[in-house]
């Protein structure tokens, strides 16, 4: 992120442009500039808005909400739960792939890069878009949640028949932002090792999301990965 304006895909800039001028966002930019002077921040600046840049506003079909980026080196690249090619799968991502296998009989992927999902219309959005290296949750409550809440609200207001996958209590607390007369919300425990056996395994959200899309005349997601 630079000192002037963040680079974000045109359709999102149209619906969220006013957010960049708000006092909270200016304070967030100042916070990030100060952080970068004293610590490593993930993901790289060019990938902070990768979820938006990969999946334009008008092409969103499914929304998966994470909490904040991975905080280890080489992991975060702007898409929630995703890691770049060649990076070891974090435990939550391993569990997502196990559920995918069970649900749709999809082979376990060789790469944890979820960009193919994003390119088909799966918005892989973290509520907080940056993090200090090796300090989970370190950029929470600095303004990012206000920005990403605005994105969710705009989708709720201006789109129809989106499928929101809310995994864990943090994500489920965002349900109040969604117009349930216009959209679909699927809820399950978080795929982390601490909660995956409480109902994430067996939730079959991938097939359920596709069924909802097809029922509304929308092309389903090909959840398979290389």
């Amino acid at each position: 992120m630079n000192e002037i304006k963040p680079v974000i895909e045109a359709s999102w800039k149209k619906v969220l442009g006013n957010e960049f001028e708000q006092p909270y966002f200016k304070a967030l930019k100042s916070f990030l500039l100060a952080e970068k002077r004293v610590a490593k921040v993930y993901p790289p600046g060019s990938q902070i808005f990768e979820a938006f840049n990969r999946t334009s506003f008008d092409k969103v079909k499914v929304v998966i909400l994470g909490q904040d980026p991975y905080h280890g080196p080489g992991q975060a690249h702007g898409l929630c739960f995703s890691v770049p090619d060649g990076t070891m799968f974090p435990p939550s991502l391993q569990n997502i792939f196990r559920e995918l296998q069970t649900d749709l009989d999809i082979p376990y992927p060789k790469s944890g890069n979820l960009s193919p999902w994003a390119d088909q219309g799966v918005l892989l959005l973290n509520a907080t878009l940056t993090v200090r290296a090796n300090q989970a949750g370190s950029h929470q409550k600095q303004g990012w949640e206000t920005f990403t809440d605005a994105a969710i609200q705009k989708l709720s207001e201006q789109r129809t028949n989106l499928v929101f996958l809310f995994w864990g209590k943090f994500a489920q607390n965002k349900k109040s932002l969604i117009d349930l007369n216009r959209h679909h919300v699927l809820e399950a425990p978080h795929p982390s090792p601490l909660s995956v056996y409480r109902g994430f395994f067996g939730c079959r959200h991938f097939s359920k999301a596709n069924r909802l899309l097809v029922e509304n005349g929308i092309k389903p997601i090909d959840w398979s990965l290389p």
Side-chain angles (χ1 to χ4, degrees):
M1 179 179 294
N2 57 42
E3 292 188 63
I4 306 171
K5 285 191 177 180
V7 177
I8 192 169
E9 191 271 337
S11 65
W12 282 106
K13 188 174 182 180
K14 183 177 179 181
V15 296
L16 292 175
N18 288 339
E19 298 299 316
F20 299 126
E21 308 304 324
Q22 298 302 314
Y24 85 85
F25 201 89
K26 293 177 180 178
L28 172 61
K29 285 169 68 172
S30 296
F31 166 77
L32 287 174
L33 289 169
E35 277 285 275
K36 288 182 178 182
R37 283 194 286 268
V38 298
K40 186 78 173 174
V41 172
Y42 298 133
S46 62
Q47 294 180 325
I48 290 174
F49 293 99
E50 184 72 3
F52 300 99
N53 295 335
R54 278 273 182 183
T55 312
S56 64
F57 183 82
D58 297 325
K59 291 184 178 178
V60 175
K61 300 178 182 180
V62 176
V63 179
I64 297 178
L65 185 68
Q67 191 158 2
D68 59 355
Y70 296 125
H71 55 84
Q75 292 181 309
H77 67 140
L79 305 176
C80 75
F81 294 108
S82 180
V83 291
D85 294 327
T87 304
M88 186 179 296
F89 304 168
S92 291
L93 186 57
Q94 293 179 36
N95 291 332
I96 289 169
F97 288 159
R98 286 178 64 187
E99 176 59 22
L100 197 58
Q101 275 186 303
T102 303
D103 186 8
L104 292 171
D105 198 27
I106 287 175
Y108 200 86
K110 293 183 176 66
S111 172
N113 189 336
L114 304 183
S115 295
W117 294 359
D119 293 340
Q120 294 178 75
V122 182
L123 182 66
L124 296 165
L125 182 64
N126 277 313
T128 301
L129 298 186
T130 57
V131 68
R132 183 187 279 211
N134 306 313
Q135 294 187 31
S138 49
H139 287 188
Q140 292 175 9
K141 298 187 170 81
Q142 296 294 336
W144 277 131
E145 295 92 339
T146 303
F147 180 80
T148 53
D149 280 0
I152 293 169
Q153 286 180 302
K154 292 293 185 182
L155 286 168
S156 178
E157 293 166 1
Q158 298 184 25
R159 298 290 312 282
T160 56
N161 289 315
L162 301 182
V163 183
F164 292 84
L165 306 186
F166 286 162
W167 299 336
K169 289 184 179 178
F170 174 85
Q172 290 160 16
N173 286 338
K174 303 294 184 179
K175 188 175 178 179
S176 61
L177 302 173
I178 311 299
D179 183 344
L180 299 179
N181 294 314
R182 296 165 62 90
H183 303 285
H184 314 278
V185 174
L186 300 177
E187 299 175 86
H190 195 276
S192 77
L194 294 173
S195 55
V196 69
Y197 288 102
R198 297 177 192 162
F200 181 81
F201 283 154
C203 71
R204 297 191 176 273
H205 276 187
F206 304 102
S207 61
K208 288 177 180 178
N210 274 355
R211 195 174 306 121
L212 288 166
L213 293 174
V214 170
E215 286 173 359
N216 289 284
I218 301 167
K219 185 179 178 180
I221 304 299
D222 177 4
W223 295 103
S224 62
L225 292 163

